[in-house]
Amino acid sequence: SQQGEEDPQALSIQEGENATMNCSYKTSINNLQWYRQNSGRGLVHLILIRSNEREKHSGRLRVTLDTSKKSSSLLITASRAADTASYFCATFFRGFQKLVFGTGTRLLVSP
Amino acid sequence: EAGVTQSPTHLIKTRGQQATLRCSPISGHTSVYWYQQALGLGLQFLLWYDEGEERNRGNFPPRFSGRQFPNYSSELNVNALELEDSALYLCASTLGLAGGEQYFGPGTRLTVT
């Protein structure tokens, strides 16, 4: 299976703490994207990092990419209760012409 | 600007029946993607349509099919429904080439009894 894996499967933290989730994938990629999903609804795009980039920031989000290890991490700083959601990484490789999603990390941020 | 819309929100069918799910992309987007998300699992790629043509297909049986209309809206048809087809079906649209940011609709929850 091409599907990536995310670690941890679930994460529970307090508001104000940082949350880190990791994504590993199996094939070459052109880019890697992170999405958020609230309560089994549609996904919202968070950030896209290209294969030649190593780090990218967007507000409280920081994404790193290590293509040699085929892994990425998403850091959410100063978490809020509203960050409670499932987070998915998705990889794109031009040869496959599709996004391959990971299994997701369920994040719970308690007030 | 209206986002991606999907209908119906919920659909309950009996095993062996056919289901039709609909998706309207963001105005100006020409590509539509369909995904299946079974309970507790990640998204599985089903189909990609662009400019009215099927561009790519995931590892699903032929009873999963669809089409894209001239106005870029799309329809997913699932024939001979099986219990394991119960899932959230998500549609996404993009502007431009594959591999870019995808904009998702709220999904259709299909339950097969």
PDB file of all heavy atoms in Angstrom, chain B residues 21 23-26 28-34 47-55 65-77 91-94:
ATOM      1  N   LEU B  21     -24.275  10.081  -5.854  1.00  0.00           N
ATOM      2  CA  LEU B  21     -23.820  11.197  -5.037  1.00  0.00           C
ATOM      3  C   LEU B  21     -23.401  12.321  -5.981  1.00  0.00           C
ATOM      4  O   LEU B  21     -22.826  12.063  -7.051  1.00  0.00           O
ATOM      5  CB  LEU B  21     -22.623  10.778  -4.175  1.00  0.00           C
ATOM      6  CG  LEU B  21     -22.864   9.813  -3.009  1.00  0.00           C
ATOM      7  CD1 LEU B  21     -23.334   8.438  -3.457  1.00  0.00           C
ATOM      8  CD2 LEU B  21     -21.582   9.686  -2.187  1.00  0.00           C
ATOM      9  N   CYS B  23     -21.698  16.396  -6.633  1.00  0.00           N
ATOM     10  CA  CYS B  23     -20.695  17.348  -6.159  1.00  0.00           C
ATOM     11  C   CYS B  23     -20.644  18.540  -7.107  1.00  0.00           C
ATOM     12  O   CYS B  23     -20.599  18.363  -8.336  1.00  0.00           O
ATOM     13  CB  CYS B  23     -19.332  16.662  -6.098  1.00  0.00           C
ATOM     14  SG  CYS B  23     -17.939  17.767  -5.793  1.00  0.00           S
ATOM     15  N   SER B  24     -20.637  19.730  -6.536  1.00  0.00           N
ATOM     16  CA  SER B  24     -20.447  20.945  -7.325  1.00  0.00           C
ATOM     17  C   SER B  24     -19.156  21.611  -6.873  1.00  0.00           C
ATOM     18  O   SER B  24     -19.029  21.957  -5.698  1.00  0.00           O
ATOM     19  CB  SER B  24     -21.625  21.899  -7.144  1.00  0.00           C
ATOM     20  OG  SER B  24     -22.779  21.389  -7.747  1.00  0.00           O
ATOM     21  N   PRO B  25     -18.201  21.790  -7.771  1.00  0.00           N
ATOM     22  CA  PRO B  25     -16.906  22.369  -7.379  1.00  0.00           C
ATOM     23  C   PRO B  25     -17.015  23.874  -7.200  1.00  0.00           C
ATOM     24  O   PRO B  25     -18.039  24.490  -7.536  1.00  0.00           O
ATOM     25  CB  PRO B  25     -16.015  22.033  -8.574  1.00  0.00           C
ATOM     26  CG  PRO B  25     -16.959  22.025  -9.738  1.00  0.00           C
ATOM     27  CD  PRO B  25     -18.249  21.453  -9.195  1.00  0.00           C
ATOM     28  N   ILE B  26     -15.954  24.454  -6.671  1.00  0.00           N
ATOM     29  CA  ILE B  26     -15.853  25.898  -6.566  1.00  0.00           C
ATOM     30  C   ILE B  26     -15.860  26.474  -7.985  1.00  0.00           C
ATOM     31  O   ILE B  26     -15.262  25.894  -8.909  1.00  0.00           O
ATOM     32  CB  ILE B  26     -14.573  26.289  -5.813  1.00  0.00           C
ATOM     33  CG1 ILE B  26     -14.720  25.901  -4.334  1.00  0.00           C
ATOM     34  CG2 ILE B  26     -14.255  27.760  -5.964  1.00  0.00           C
ATOM     35  CD1 ILE B  26     -13.452  26.069  -3.519  1.00  0.00           C
ATOM     36  N   GLY B  28     -14.990  28.029 -11.245  1.00  0.00           N
ATOM     37  CA  GLY B  28     -13.688  28.198 -11.885  1.00  0.00           C
ATOM     38  C   GLY B  28     -12.791  26.978 -11.766  1.00  0.00           C
ATOM     39  O   GLY B  28     -11.792  26.867 -12.483  1.00  0.00           O
ATOM     40  N   HIS B  29     -13.101  26.076 -10.859  1.00  0.00           N
ATOM     41  CA  HIS B  29     -12.314  24.848 -10.723  1.00  0.00           C
ATOM     42  C   HIS B  29     -12.791  23.832 -11.751  1.00  0.00           C
ATOM     43  O   HIS B  29     -13.981  23.607 -11.916  1.00  0.00           O
ATOM     44  CB  HIS B  29     -12.455  24.258  -9.318  1.00  0.00           C
ATOM     45  CG  HIS B  29     -11.715  25.013  -8.271  1.00  0.00           C
ATOM     46  ND1 HIS B  29     -11.535  24.543  -6.996  1.00  0.00           N
ATOM     47  CD2 HIS B  29     -11.111  26.226  -8.311  1.00  0.00           C
ATOM     48  CE1 HIS B  29     -10.835  25.416  -6.298  1.00  0.00           C
ATOM     49  NE2 HIS B  29     -10.575  26.456  -7.071  1.00  0.00           N
ATOM     50  N   THR B  30     -11.817  23.193 -12.404  1.00  0.00           N
ATOM     51  CA  THR B  30     -12.173  22.240 -13.453  1.00  0.00           C
ATOM     52  C   THR B  30     -11.951  20.791 -13.046  1.00  0.00           C
ATOM     53  O   THR B  30     -12.412  19.883 -13.719  1.00  0.00           O
ATOM     54  CB  THR B  30     -11.342  22.511 -14.725  1.00  0.00           C
ATOM     55  OG1 THR B  30      -9.947  22.359 -14.410  1.00  0.00           O
ATOM     56  CG2 THR B  30     -11.589  23.920 -15.250  1.00  0.00           C
ATOM     57  N   SER B  31     -11.211  20.589 -11.964  1.00  0.00           N
ATOM     58  CA  SER B  31     -10.918  19.223 -11.510  1.00  0.00           C
ATOM     59  C   SER B  31     -11.755  18.867 -10.297  1.00  0.00           C
ATOM     60  O   SER B  31     -11.898  19.671  -9.375  1.00  0.00           O
ATOM     61  CB  SER B  31      -9.439  19.093 -11.136  1.00  0.00           C
ATOM     62  OG  SER B  31      -8.632  18.928 -12.260  1.00  0.00           O
ATOM     63  N   VAL B  32     -12.257  17.636 -10.301  1.00  0.00           N
ATOM     64  CA  VAL B  32     -13.020  17.103  -9.176  1.00  0.00           C
ATOM     65  C   VAL B  32     -12.440  15.755  -8.788  1.00  0.00           C
ATOM     66  O   VAL B  32     -12.154  14.910  -9.655  1.00  0.00           O
ATOM     67  CB  VAL B  32     -14.515  16.934  -9.538  1.00  0.00           C
ATOM     68  CG1 VAL B  32     -15.244  16.153  -8.454  1.00  0.00           C
ATOM     69  CG2 VAL B  32     -15.171  18.297  -9.738  1.00  0.00           C
ATOM     70  N   TYR B  33     -12.244  15.567  -7.499  1.00  0.00           N
ATOM     71  CA  TYR B  33     -11.714  14.318  -6.949  1.00  0.00           C
ATOM     72  C   TYR B  33     -12.770  13.717  -6.023  1.00  0.00           C
ATOM     73  O   TYR B  33     -13.454  14.442  -5.300  1.00  0.00           O
ATOM     74  CB  TYR B  33     -10.448  14.578  -6.139  1.00  0.00           C
ATOM     75  CG  TYR B  33      -9.316  15.182  -6.927  1.00  0.00           C
ATOM     76  CD1 TYR B  33      -9.298  16.544  -7.226  1.00  0.00           C
ATOM     77  CD2 TYR B  33      -8.260  14.398  -7.378  1.00  0.00           C
ATOM     78  CE1 TYR B  33      -8.270  17.108  -7.953  1.00  0.00           C
ATOM     79  CE2 TYR B  33      -7.214  14.951  -8.098  1.00  0.00           C
ATOM     80  CZ  TYR B  33      -7.233  16.305  -8.382  1.00  0.00           C
ATOM     81  OH  TYR B  33      -6.209  16.853  -9.108  1.00  0.00           O
ATOM     82  N   TRP B  34     -12.833  12.395  -6.017  1.00  0.00           N
ATOM     83  CA  TRP B  34     -13.705  11.674  -5.090  1.00  0.00           C
ATOM     84  C   TRP B  34     -12.863  10.774  -4.192  1.00  0.00           C
ATOM     85  O   TRP B  34     -11.927  10.113  -4.654  1.00  0.00           O
ATOM     86  CB  TRP B  34     -14.707  10.808  -5.852  1.00  0.00           C
ATOM     87  CG  TRP B  34     -15.805  11.574  -6.523  1.00  0.00           C
ATOM     88  CD1 TRP B  34     -15.853  11.994  -7.817  1.00  0.00           C
ATOM     89  CD2 TRP B  34     -17.035  12.005  -5.928  1.00  0.00           C
ATOM     90  NE1 TRP B  34     -17.024  12.655  -8.075  1.00  0.00           N
ATOM     91  CE2 TRP B  34     -17.776  12.675  -6.926  1.00  0.00           C
ATOM     92  CE3 TRP B  34     -17.589  11.886  -4.648  1.00  0.00           C
ATOM     93  CZ2 TRP B  34     -19.037  13.232  -6.686  1.00  0.00           C
ATOM     94  CZ3 TRP B  34     -18.834  12.439  -4.418  1.00  0.00           C
ATOM     95  CH2 TRP B  34     -19.550  13.103  -5.436  1.00  0.00           C
ATOM     96  N   LEU B  47     -11.593   8.580  -7.630  1.00  0.00           N
ATOM     97  CA  LEU B  47     -11.640   9.019  -9.019  1.00  0.00           C
ATOM     98  C   LEU B  47     -11.191  10.466  -9.123  1.00  0.00           C
ATOM     99  O   LEU B  47     -11.343  11.251  -8.190  1.00  0.00           O
ATOM    100  CB  LEU B  47     -13.071   8.918  -9.568  1.00  0.00           C
ATOM    101  CG  LEU B  47     -13.645   7.517  -9.801  1.00  0.00           C
ATOM    102  CD1 LEU B  47     -15.160   7.573  -9.820  1.00  0.00           C
ATOM    103  CD2 LEU B  47     -13.113   6.932 -11.088  1.00  0.00           C
ATOM    104  N   TRP B  48     -10.644  10.814 -10.288  1.00  0.00           N
ATOM    105  CA  TRP B  48     -10.275  12.190 -10.598  1.00  0.00           C
ATOM    106  C   TRP B  48     -10.841  12.520 -11.981  1.00  0.00           C
ATOM    107  O   TRP B  48     -10.572  11.812 -12.956  1.00  0.00           O
ATOM    108  CB  TRP B  48      -8.761  12.359 -10.563  1.00  0.00           C
ATOM    109  CG  TRP B  48      -8.261  13.660 -11.123  1.00  0.00           C
ATOM    110  CD1 TRP B  48      -8.905  14.878 -11.091  1.00  0.00           C
ATOM    111  CD2 TRP B  48      -7.037  13.887 -11.799  1.00  0.00           C
ATOM    112  NE1 TRP B  48      -8.131  15.817 -11.706  1.00  0.00           N
ATOM    113  CE2 TRP B  48      -6.973  15.270 -12.150  1.00  0.00           C
ATOM    114  CE3 TRP B  48      -5.954  13.072 -12.127  1.00  0.00           C
ATOM    115  CZ2 TRP B  48      -5.891  15.831 -12.802  1.00  0.00           C
ATOM    116  CZ3 TRP B  48      -4.861  13.630 -12.788  1.00  0.00           C
ATOM    117  CH2 TRP B  48      -4.844  14.994 -13.126  1.00  0.00           C
ATOM    118  N   TYR B  49     -11.608  13.594 -12.050  1.00  0.00           N
ATOM    119  CA  TYR B  49     -12.128  14.092 -13.321  1.00  0.00           C
ATOM    120  C   TYR B  49     -11.574  15.486 -13.577  1.00  0.00           C
ATOM    121  O   TYR B  49     -11.485  16.316 -12.666  1.00  0.00           O
ATOM    122  CB  TYR B  49     -13.662  14.158 -13.302  1.00  0.00           C
ATOM    123  CG  TYR B  49     -14.295  12.802 -13.279  1.00  0.00           C
ATOM    124  CD1 TYR B  49     -14.700  12.226 -12.084  1.00  0.00           C
ATOM    125  CD2 TYR B  49     -14.466  12.073 -14.446  1.00  0.00           C
ATOM    126  CE1 TYR B  49     -15.266  10.963 -12.050  1.00  0.00           C
ATOM    127  CE2 TYR B  49     -15.026  10.809 -14.428  1.00  0.00           C
ATOM    128  CZ  TYR B  49     -15.418  10.265 -13.225  1.00  0.00           C
ATOM    129  OH  TYR B  49     -15.968   9.013 -13.200  1.00  0.00           O
ATOM    130  N   ASP B  50     -11.232  15.724 -14.828  1.00  0.00           N
ATOM    131  CA  ASP B  50     -10.761  17.053 -15.212  1.00  0.00           C
ATOM    132  C   ASP B  50     -11.239  17.336 -16.620  1.00  0.00           C
ATOM    133  O   ASP B  50     -11.068  16.495 -17.516  1.00  0.00           O
ATOM    134  CB  ASP B  50      -9.239  17.136 -15.136  1.00  0.00           C
ATOM    135  CG  ASP B  50      -8.728  18.519 -15.516  1.00  0.00           C
ATOM    136  OD1 ASP B  50      -9.097  19.480 -14.820  1.00  0.00           O
ATOM    137  OD2 ASP B  50      -7.990  18.631 -16.509  1.00  0.00           O
ATOM    138  N   GLU B  51     -11.848  18.485 -16.802  1.00  0.00           N
ATOM    139  CA  GLU B  51     -12.355  18.887 -18.121  1.00  0.00           C
ATOM    140  C   GLU B  51     -13.246  17.801 -18.741  1.00  0.00           C
ATOM    141  O   GLU B  51     -13.187  17.551 -19.940  1.00  0.00           O
ATOM    142  CB  GLU B  51     -11.191  19.217 -19.058  1.00  0.00           C
ATOM    143  CG  GLU B  51     -10.365  20.410 -18.598  1.00  0.00           C
ATOM    144  CD  GLU B  51     -11.036  21.743 -18.894  1.00  0.00           C
ATOM    145  OE1 GLU B  51     -12.154  21.761 -19.460  1.00  0.00           O
ATOM    146  OE2 GLU B  51     -10.463  22.781 -18.548  1.00  0.00           O
ATOM    147  N   GLY B  52     -14.037  17.160 -17.902  1.00  0.00           N
ATOM    148  CA  GLY B  52     -15.009  16.189 -18.394  1.00  0.00           C
ATOM    149  C   GLY B  52     -14.475  14.787 -18.619  1.00  0.00           C
ATOM    150  O   GLY B  52     -15.234  13.888 -18.985  1.00  0.00           O
ATOM    151  N   GLU B  53     -13.169  14.607 -18.396  1.00  0.00           N
ATOM    152  CA  GLU B  53     -12.567  13.292 -18.648  1.00  0.00           C
ATOM    153  C   GLU B  53     -12.124  12.647 -17.331  1.00  0.00           C
ATOM    154  O   GLU B  53     -11.671  13.345 -16.420  1.00  0.00           O
ATOM    155  CB  GLU B  53     -11.334  13.443 -19.559  1.00  0.00           C
ATOM    156  CG  GLU B  53     -11.622  14.046 -20.915  1.00  0.00           C
ATOM    157  CD  GLU B  53     -12.315  13.059 -21.840  1.00  0.00           C
ATOM    158  OE1 GLU B  53     -12.109  11.841 -21.675  1.00  0.00           O
ATOM    159  OE2 GLU B  53     -13.065  13.517 -22.728  1.00  0.00           O
ATOM    160  N   GLU B  54     -12.202  11.320 -17.273  1.00  0.00           N
ATOM    161  CA  GLU B  54     -11.639  10.592 -16.133  1.00  0.00           C
ATOM    162  C   GLU B  54     -10.130  10.529 -16.318  1.00  0.00           C
ATOM    163  O   GLU B  54      -9.636   9.954 -17.288  1.00  0.00           O
ATOM    164  CB  GLU B  54     -12.227   9.183 -16.044  1.00  0.00           C
ATOM    165  CG  GLU B  54     -11.703   8.400 -14.850  1.00  0.00           C
ATOM    166  CD  GLU B  54     -12.289   6.989 -14.779  1.00  0.00           C
ATOM    167  OE1 GLU B  54     -13.513   6.857 -14.718  1.00  0.00           O
ATOM    168  OE2 GLU B  54     -11.479   6.022 -14.790  1.00  0.00           O
ATOM    169  N   ARG B  55      -9.378  11.081 -15.376  1.00  0.00           N
ATOM    170  CA  ARG B  55      -7.914  11.178 -15.503  1.00  0.00           C
ATOM    171  C   ARG B  55      -7.195  10.098 -14.713  1.00  0.00           C
ATOM    172  O   ARG B  55      -6.088   9.715 -15.056  1.00  0.00           O
ATOM    173  CB  ARG B  55      -7.429  12.545 -15.001  1.00  0.00           C
ATOM    174  CG  ARG B  55      -8.023  13.715 -15.719  1.00  0.00           C
ATOM    175  CD  ARG B  55      -7.657  13.774 -17.191  1.00  0.00           C
ATOM    176  NE  ARG B  55      -8.134  15.000 -17.828  1.00  0.00           N
ATOM    177  CZ  ARG B  55      -8.001  15.275 -19.110  1.00  0.00           C
ATOM    178  NH1 ARG B  55      -7.394  14.390 -19.900  1.00  0.00           N
ATOM    179  NH2 ARG B  55      -8.461  16.404 -19.596  1.00  0.00           N
ATOM    180  N   SER B  65     -18.328   4.234 -10.283  1.00  0.00           N
ATOM    181  CA  SER B  65     -18.113   4.979 -11.520  1.00  0.00           C
ATOM    182  C   SER B  65     -18.617   6.399 -11.345  1.00  0.00           C
ATOM    183  O   SER B  65     -19.255   6.721 -10.336  1.00  0.00           O
ATOM    184  CB  SER B  65     -18.833   4.308 -12.689  1.00  0.00           C
ATOM    185  OG  SER B  65     -20.238   4.352 -12.484  1.00  0.00           O
ATOM    186  N   GLY B  66     -18.347   7.216 -12.318  1.00  0.00           N
ATOM    187  CA  GLY B  66     -18.827   8.588 -12.202  1.00  0.00           C
ATOM    188  C   GLY B  66     -18.729   9.306 -13.521  1.00  0.00           C
ATOM    189  O   GLY B  66     -18.413   8.711 -14.560  1.00  0.00           O
ATOM    190  N   ARG B  67     -18.999  10.574 -13.473  1.00  0.00           N
ATOM    191  CA  ARG B  67     -18.839  11.411 -14.655  1.00  0.00           C
ATOM    192  C   ARG B  67     -18.757  12.868 -14.232  1.00  0.00           C
ATOM    193  O   ARG B  67     -19.118  13.224 -13.102  1.00  0.00           O
ATOM    194  CB  ARG B  67     -20.009  11.211 -15.618  1.00  0.00           C
ATOM    195  CG  ARG B  67     -21.392  11.381 -15.023  1.00  0.00           C
ATOM    196  CD  ARG B  67     -22.449  11.169 -16.076  1.00  0.00           C
ATOM    197  NE  ARG B  67     -23.792  11.121 -15.501  1.00  0.00           N
ATOM    198  CZ  ARG B  67     -24.895  11.215 -16.234  1.00  0.00           C
ATOM    199  NH1 ARG B  67     -24.829  11.355 -17.547  1.00  0.00           N
ATOM    200  NH2 ARG B  67     -26.084  11.161 -15.645  1.00  0.00           N
ATOM    201  N   GLN B  68     -18.284  13.666 -15.154  1.00  0.00           N
ATOM    202  CA  GLN B  68     -18.217  15.103 -14.918  1.00  0.00           C
ATOM    203  C   GLN B  68     -18.985  15.788 -16.028  1.00  0.00           C
ATOM    204  O   GLN B  68     -18.806  15.467 -17.212  1.00  0.00           O
ATOM    205  CB  GLN B  68     -16.765  15.598 -14.884  1.00  0.00           C
ATOM    206  CG  GLN B  68     -16.650  17.062 -14.495  1.00  0.00           C
ATOM    207  CD  GLN B  68     -15.219  17.539 -14.401  1.00  0.00           C
ATOM    208  OE1 GLN B  68     -14.350  17.110 -15.155  1.00  0.00           O
ATOM    209  NE2 GLN B  68     -14.956  18.445 -13.459  1.00  0.00           N
ATOM    210  N   PHE B  69     -19.805  16.717 -15.668  1.00  0.00           N
ATOM    211  CA  PHE B  69     -20.678  17.405 -16.603  1.00  0.00           C
ATOM    212  C   PHE B  69     -19.992  18.648 -17.175  1.00  0.00           C
ATOM    213  O   PHE B  69     -18.978  19.101 -16.642  1.00  0.00           O
ATOM    214  CB  PHE B  69     -21.981  17.775 -15.901  1.00  0.00           C
ATOM    215  CG  PHE B  69     -22.729  16.578 -15.388  1.00  0.00           C
ATOM    216  CD1 PHE B  69     -22.632  16.198 -14.055  1.00  0.00           C
ATOM    217  CD2 PHE B  69     -23.510  15.805 -16.234  1.00  0.00           C
ATOM    218  CE1 PHE B  69     -23.308  15.085 -13.578  1.00  0.00           C
ATOM    219  CE2 PHE B  69     -24.177  14.692 -15.770  1.00  0.00           C
ATOM    220  CZ  PHE B  69     -24.071  14.328 -14.438  1.00  0.00           C
ATOM    221  N   PRO B  70     -20.555  19.216 -18.259  1.00  0.00           N
ATOM    222  CA  PRO B  70     -19.936  20.407 -18.866  1.00  0.00           C
ATOM    223  C   PRO B  70     -19.765  21.581 -17.902  1.00  0.00           C
ATOM    224  O   PRO B  70     -18.875  22.412 -18.099  1.00  0.00           O
ATOM    225  CB  PRO B  70     -20.896  20.759 -20.008  1.00  0.00           C
ATOM    226  CG  PRO B  70     -21.494  19.442 -20.394  1.00  0.00           C
ATOM    227  CD  PRO B  70     -21.645  18.688 -19.096  1.00  0.00           C
ATOM    228  N   ASN B  71     -20.601  21.658 -16.865  1.00  0.00           N
ATOM    229  CA  ASN B  71     -20.433  22.751 -15.891  1.00  0.00           C
ATOM    230  C   ASN B  71     -19.456  22.367 -14.779  1.00  0.00           C
ATOM    231  O   ASN B  71     -19.346  23.066 -13.780  1.00  0.00           O
ATOM    232  CB  ASN B  71     -21.782  23.150 -15.288  1.00  0.00           C
ATOM    233  CG  ASN B  71     -22.393  22.042 -14.437  1.00  0.00           C
ATOM    234  OD1 ASN B  71     -21.873  20.923 -14.383  1.00  0.00           O
ATOM    235  ND2 ASN B  71     -23.497  22.350 -13.797  1.00  0.00           N
ATOM    236  N   TYR B  72     -18.748  21.252 -14.947  1.00  0.00           N
ATOM    237  CA  TYR B  72     -17.714  20.728 -14.048  1.00  0.00           C
ATOM    238  C   TYR B  72     -18.258  20.065 -12.789  1.00  0.00           C
ATOM    239  O   TYR B  72     -17.466  19.538 -12.003  1.00  0.00           O
ATOM    240  CB  TYR B  72     -16.669  21.789 -13.686  1.00  0.00           C
ATOM    241  CG  TYR B  72     -15.997  22.378 -14.897  1.00  0.00           C
ATOM    242  CD1 TYR B  72     -16.139  23.732 -15.206  1.00  0.00           C
ATOM    243  CD2 TYR B  72     -15.238  21.583 -15.744  1.00  0.00           C
ATOM    244  CE1 TYR B  72     -15.542  24.270 -16.339  1.00  0.00           C
ATOM    245  CE2 TYR B  72     -14.636  22.107 -16.877  1.00  0.00           C
ATOM    246  CZ  TYR B  72     -14.797  23.450 -17.169  1.00  0.00           C
ATOM    247  OH  TYR B  72     -14.208  23.976 -18.298  1.00  0.00           O
ATOM    248  N   SER B  73     -19.559  20.073 -12.583  1.00  0.00           N
ATOM    249  CA  SER B  73     -20.092  19.297 -11.473  1.00  0.00           C
ATOM    250  C   SER B  73     -19.896  17.825 -11.775  1.00  0.00           C
ATOM    251  O   SER B  73     -19.628  17.433 -12.921  1.00  0.00           O
ATOM    252  CB  SER B  73     -21.569  19.617 -11.248  1.00  0.00           C
ATOM    253  OG  SER B  73     -22.346  19.157 -12.348  1.00  0.00           O
ATOM    254  N   SER B  74     -20.017  17.008 -10.740  1.00  0.00           N
ATOM    255  CA  SER B  74     -19.686  15.601 -10.920  1.00  0.00           C
ATOM    256  C   SER B  74     -20.682  14.726 -10.173  1.00  0.00           C
ATOM    257  O   SER B  74     -21.347  15.154  -9.229  1.00  0.00           O
ATOM    258  CB  SER B  74     -18.267  15.330 -10.423  1.00  0.00           C
ATOM    259  OG  SER B  74     -17.937  13.956 -10.522  1.00  0.00           O
ATOM    260  N   GLU B  75     -20.752  13.504 -10.603  1.00  0.00           N
ATOM    261  CA  GLU B  75     -21.633  12.517 -10.020  1.00  0.00           C
ATOM    262  C   GLU B  75     -20.835  11.247  -9.772  1.00  0.00           C
ATOM    263  O   GLU B  75     -20.032  10.845 -10.633  1.00  0.00           O
ATOM    264  CB  GLU B  75     -22.739  12.245 -11.047  1.00  0.00           C
ATOM    265  CG  GLU B  75     -23.959  11.562 -10.573  1.00  0.00           C
ATOM    266  CD  GLU B  75     -25.008  11.534 -11.693  1.00  0.00           C
ATOM    267  OE1 GLU B  75     -24.937  10.599 -12.527  1.00  0.00           O
ATOM    268  OE2 GLU B  75     -25.859  12.432 -11.741  1.00  0.00           O
ATOM    269  N   LEU B  76     -21.020  10.650  -8.608  1.00  0.00           N
ATOM    270  CA  LEU B  76     -20.416   9.355  -8.296  1.00  0.00           C
ATOM    271  C   LEU B  76     -21.548   8.339  -8.179  1.00  0.00           C
ATOM    272  O   LEU B  76     -22.505   8.563  -7.440  1.00  0.00           O
ATOM    273  CB  LEU B  76     -19.626   9.428  -6.989  1.00  0.00           C
ATOM    274  CG  LEU B  76     -19.072   8.107  -6.462  1.00  0.00           C
ATOM    275  CD1 LEU B  76     -17.959   7.593  -7.376  1.00  0.00           C
ATOM    276  CD2 LEU B  76     -18.538   8.268  -5.036  1.00  0.00           C
ATOM    277  N   ASN B  77     -21.433   7.275  -8.908  1.00  0.00           N
ATOM    278  CA  ASN B  77     -22.417   6.195  -8.854  1.00  0.00           C
ATOM    279  C   ASN B  77     -21.794   4.947  -8.267  1.00  0.00           C
ATOM    280  O   ASN B  77     -20.675   4.574  -8.642  1.00  0.00           O
ATOM    281  CB  ASN B  77     -22.940   5.887 -10.263  1.00  0.00           C
ATOM    282  CG  ASN B  77     -23.724   7.037 -10.834  1.00  0.00           C
ATOM    283  OD1 ASN B  77     -24.801   7.381 -10.353  1.00  0.00           O
ATOM    284  ND2 ASN B  77     -23.172   7.679 -11.851  1.00  0.00           N
ATOM    285  N   CYS B  91     -15.805  14.865  -1.754  1.00  0.00           N
ATOM    286  CA  CYS B  91     -15.484  15.420  -3.052  1.00  0.00           C
ATOM    287  C   CYS B  91     -14.574  16.628  -2.824  1.00  0.00           C
ATOM    288  O   CYS B  91     -14.728  17.353  -1.833  1.00  0.00           O
ATOM    289  CB  CYS B  91     -16.780  15.835  -3.745  1.00  0.00           C
ATOM    290  SG  CYS B  91     -16.600  16.912  -5.159  1.00  0.00           S
ATOM    291  N   ALA B  92     -13.619  16.813  -3.702  1.00  0.00           N
ATOM    292  CA  ALA B  92     -12.726  17.970  -3.618  1.00  0.00           C
ATOM    293  C   ALA B  92     -12.530  18.549  -5.005  1.00  0.00           C
ATOM    294  O   ALA B  92     -12.619  17.835  -6.012  1.00  0.00           O
ATOM    295  CB  ALA B  92     -11.381  17.566  -3.018  1.00  0.00           C
ATOM    296  N   SER B  93     -12.248  19.843  -5.059  1.00  0.00           N
ATOM    297  CA  SER B  93     -11.975  20.448  -6.359  1.00  0.00           C
ATOM    298  C   SER B  93     -10.677  21.237  -6.293  1.00  0.00           C
ATOM    299  O   SER B  93     -10.224  21.637  -5.211  1.00  0.00           O
ATOM    300  CB  SER B  93     -13.128  21.361  -6.812  1.00  0.00           C
ATOM    301  OG  SER B  93     -13.200  22.547  -6.058  1.00  0.00           O
ATOM    302  N   THR B  94     -10.064  21.405  -7.435  1.00  0.00           N
ATOM    303  CA  THR B  94      -8.823  22.167  -7.527  1.00  0.00           C
ATOM    304  C   THR B  94      -8.831  23.047  -8.759  1.00  0.00           C
ATOM    305  O   THR B  94      -9.549  22.785  -9.725  1.00  0.00           O
ATOM    306  CB  THR B  94      -7.579  21.270  -7.601  1.00  0.00           C
ATOM    307  OG1 THR B  94      -7.633  20.514  -8.826  1.00  0.00           O
ATOM    308  CG2 THR B  94      -7.472  20.328  -6.433  1.00  0.00           C
TER     309      THR B  94
END
